[in-house]
Structures are given as C-alpha cells and as structure tokens.
Amino acid sequence: MARAAAAEAFSRRLGAAVRGLSGAWYNRHMAAADRAIRARLPLVDLVLEVRDARVPASSAFELLHRRSPEEPDVRRLVALNKADLADPSETEKWVAFMKQRGCSCIAVNSHSRESINELLNAVRGRIREIKLGVSDCTGTVLFVGIPNVGKSAMINAMHQIGRIGAAEKGKLKHAIVSSHPGETRDISGYKVATHPNIYVLDTPGILSPIFANDESGPRLVLTGAIKDSLLEEYEIAQFLLAILNSRKECTEWENLNLVGDKSSFADAVPTRSCHTKRQYSSDHTQDFIVRAVRQALCETIASFQGDLGNDNDLRRLVEIQFTYLQNAFRLPAETSEDMNKRVAIKLLNLYRTGRLGHYTLDHVPDVRQELAA
C-alpha cells in the first residue's frame, strides 16, 4: 500500500503536466469527427466501443456517455482490445464487471486469429438478434474509441478472416494502421462478413479535452493515447518506473530469466547462429537487450537501501535506474538530458509492446462499496 501511495505521487505530477496542456490533443480534426460520429450514431445497427484492456475505465469513449436523454439508445458492444498486453486475471474481472452492468463485453487480441474470430462471431450474433434472426440481412457497425486503441487493426483483422469472395478481395481496401494516436482522419466503410452482410465504419479516435478524474490522464499518456511529443518522455518513463517498482512482478523477473518465460528470452550475450545478424546492440527490442533491461531493474530494486513507500526515496531509485538502463540498452555516453530521453523512449516502447510484462492500470470498482454508498 505504501509503495502504491508513493507511485501515486508520480501520477499526480504527470497529471498536472497533462492538465497544463489544456486539451491540446483535441484539435479541429477531432471536433469534426465528434460531430460526424454523433450524426451517425442513430443510423447504425450496432456501436462497437473499443477500449484498451490495460485501462478499461480511463479509455471509455466519452461521447457515448454525453448523449442526451432525447437521443435514441444505441446498441453497444464493448471490446477490450490489447488484452495480450494486460493482466489476464484483471481482464476477466473487467469483462465480468461490464456484463454485470448490463453491457456486452469481450476481450480481444487483434493479433490473434482465434480472438478476432470470437469477436466476429459476437458481432454476427448481435446483428442477427437486431435483425430478428434473419440470416441474409445487412448490418452496419460503427467502431468508436479514443486514439490508439487499435480500431483499424481490429477491422483489418476482421476483414482478413471474414472476407468475402475472391472476386471482391482485391477491391476491398484496408484501414490504415499506425502506432501514433490520431492518424485516422475520416470515417471509412469496410465490408467484413457475409451471411449476414456486415459493414463496419472506422472512425477517428476522439479523446475528451477534459478527463473524468486525475488518474486517467497519466494512464492514457503511458498507454499511448496522447502523443508523447506533447509531454516529456522522461517524465512519462519516470511514472512507468514508479509503477514497476511498486509491484511485485519486477522481483519475479530474476526467476523468470533463469527458467524461461513466455517471451523465450535468449542469453544475455548473443550467440553465433543463423539469427546472429539480427542481434545488434542498437536494436533495443532484441531478446538479450530486453533481458538486460529486466535484470537492471531487478538488481536496482534488490540492492536499494531506501524505503520504496517514501516519495523521495522512490524518486532516487528511479534516477539510479535510468543510469543502469543506459548500460542495459548499450547506449553511448551523452549529455544527461539527451540520454534520459533516449532511455525513456526505448523503455516506453518495451512497455507498450508488452516486453516488460502485462499490467492493468485501472482496477475493477468494488461492487460492495458501490452498493453501500
């Protein structure tokens, strides 16, 4: 508990920086997309709200919650995408919680054919329900969500699995996928299935200029919903390290490195093999580099003499870790400011691709406390 409280101090500092942006991410493109989506909501059969499984609450699509009572109720399915990057047990709790609240919910990994199949079957089932069981009907699905939750990647994966006859394959365009938030600018339609015929609309990600609470901003920055260029990468990475230091996963990495884990990390020293040419020090995604990063974090935590429940001590540990990570990433000596930025960028990339473990930052609300209130 004390460690978590100290980590919250980093969250508050990053949150203050996010508030200082005054909604700088909400540009004219988002405002135009907001109006376009609002106009289409009453016209589609199903709204598929895509959220980030690492932050199921913080990544909720605010526009759906701003609808006035006069607007017709939309049929909604929530997809917790990037489930492969989140804590599986926490994702299960979130899916159960959403269903308990009367909202259909499914966990999705857009890189898994099996997972996309489940999503496509769920969409087919919902469309058949809406169309009263008619199999040869046409349904429209509006994909909505905040930036960088993977809407376009999900649509492309659905299209690959549910694509129609060979004569039409070449004519069907694919959604543009980018790792940078805010790349989708227009609303585009794609056919993803037949029997029933299903057309999906890919929409730009829209992020509210004001967050519901102070915790959402830092978590959305960390997961990549807000462009890093709007803030200091070093400050974002400090928040990440505070989270890693406050949880037990780091202390378990030493054993994982010895017995192996799901990532199948290679030896710290690259060996001569047919793949040796790919293992060069400038590529921080190589297994032996990732293992060195994990080892550096493990050793700094194990050897640290301070109190990780104390804000100042935790900050001191984070500064020490940046020095160790410079060596782990095999970066040449530079000025302190430039080095911190380079380390931060590489560290954030490893976190966002799941190489540092699977973390869920939003915890499921306590139902008993809600009922008591």
Side-chain angles (χ1 to χ4, degrees):
M1 291 295 290
R3 289 189 180 188
E8 286 176 8
F10 284 79
S11 177
R12 287 193 297 271
R13 281 190 283 270
L14 184 57
V18 173
R19 287 193 301 273
L21 294 174
S22 300
W25 53 84
Y26 191 84
N27 53 34
R28 60 186 179 87
H29 298 292
M30 279 195 186
D34 190 309
R35 294 190 295 270
I37 292 173
R38 190 186 298 275
R40 285 166 174 78
L41 280 175
L43 307 177
V44 298
D45 297 305
L46 179 68
V47 174
L48 200 155
E49 180 189 359
V50 184
R51 300 189 187 184
D52 189 323
R54 296 167 296 179
V55 283
S58 299
S59 60
F61 191 59
E62 186 63 26
L63 177 57
L64 293 182
H65 304 285
R66 296 204 312 262
R67 294 166 52 249
S68 65
E70 292 77 25
E71 292 183 72
D73 185 32
V74 294
R75 299 173 175 89
R76 181 168 60 119
L77 171 64
V78 173
L80 300 182
N81 193 28
K82 304 188 180 185
D84 53 313
L85 303 180
D87 182 332
S89 62
E90 289 294 314
T91 300
E92 288 182 10
K93 294 176 185 177
W94 270 107
V95 170
F97 175 80
M98 297 291 289
K99 291 180 177 178
Q100 199 174 34
R101 287 292 182 271
C103 179
S104 297
C105 183
I106 183 171
V108 180
N109 171 8
S110 60
H111 302 294
S112 164
R113 185 180 181 86
E114 180 182 357
S115 181
I116 292 297
N117 247 326
E118 292 178 6
L119 174 64
L120 194 54
N121 288 335
V123 170
R124 282 194 180 107
R126 292 297 303 276
I127 292 296
R128 289 194 182 103
E129 289 176 11
I130 294 166
K131 299 294 183 176
L132 302 178
V134 180
S135 60
D136 196 21
C137 61
T138 297
T140 53
V141 183
L142 185 69
F143 272 63
V144 298
I146 68 171
N148 212 23
V149 289
K151 299 186 299 298
S152 299
M154 288 174 63
I155 289 173
N156 284 339
M158 290 175 72
H159 168 59
Q160 277 192 331
I161 292 176
R163 58 188 173 179
I164 56 178
E168 295 186 46
K169 286 180 187 176
K171 299 178 183 179
L172 294 178
K173 57 184 178 179
H174 286 69
I176 298 174
V177 179
S178 172
S179 59
H180 302 291
E183 290 298 313
T184 303
R185 294 293 179 86
D186 303 311
I187 295 179
S188 303
Y190 307 86
K191 187 172 184 178
V192 299
T194 56
H195 309 299
N197 297 312
I198 299 176
Y199 292 86
V200 300
L201 298 176
D202 186 20
T203 65
I206 299 177
L207 195 59
S208 175
I210 301 175
F211 298 124
N213 56 66
D214 291 338
E215 296 176 345
S216 295
R219 293 173 183 178
L220 291 175
V221 169
L222 182 55
T223 52
I226 298 175
K227 292 181 179 180
D228 290 345
S229 57
L230 294 175
L231 294 154
E232 293 289 336
E233 290 92 346
Y234 177 52
E235 195 167 5
I236 304 171
Q238 283 183 312
F239 174 49
L240 169 60
L241 287 175
I243 292 174
L244 296 179
N245 292 330
S246 67
R247 301 196 179 189
K248 65 179 182 179
E249 285 88 344
C250 268
T251 59
E252 297 174 350
W253 283 345
E254 185 174 3
N255 292 330
L256 287 175
N257 286 338
L258 291 175
V259 301
D261 61 11
K262 293 181 180 179
S263 299
S264 301
F265 290 114
D267 290 335
V269 179
T271 57
R272 292 186 178 275
S273 69
C274 59
H275 300 295
T276 299
K277 63 181 181 180
R278 298 183 58 200
Q279 295 183 327
Y280 46 93
S281 61
S282 61
D283 183 357
H284 68 282
T285 64
Q286 289 297 313
D287 288 347
F288 72 97
I289 295 290
V290 177
R291 178 170 177 171
V293 169
R294 284 187 166 196
Q295 185 176 355
L297 295 178
C298 267
E299 290 179 354
T300 51
I301 294 174
S303 62
F304 187 64
Q305 299 298 316
D307 177 10
L308 293 183
N310 179 278
D311 180 19
N312 291 328
D313 282 357
L314 181 57
R315 176 173 285 276
R316 186 159 54 90
L317 172 60
V318 167
E319 291 174 355
I320 293 171
Q321 288 173 326
F322 265 91
T323 301
Y324 273 71
L325 288 172
Q326 175 185 340
N327 295 326
F329 283 125
R330 302 192 176 188
L331 294 172
E334 294 180 6
T335 62
S336 177
E337 184 176 345
D338 291 340
M339 179 54 62
N340 285 340
K341 181 174 182 177
R342 291 187 64 185
V343 169
I345 290 173
K346 292 178 181 295
L347 187 67
L348 290 172
N349 176 265
L350 292 185
Y351 163 75
R352 290 167 180 167
T353 53
R355 304 301 301 278
L356 293 181
H358 303 159
Y359 300 88
T360 299
L361 305 181
D362 285 342
H363 298 294
V364 179
D366 191 321
V367 178
R368 291 170 299 179
Q369 289 184 358
E370 287 189 349
L371 293 175

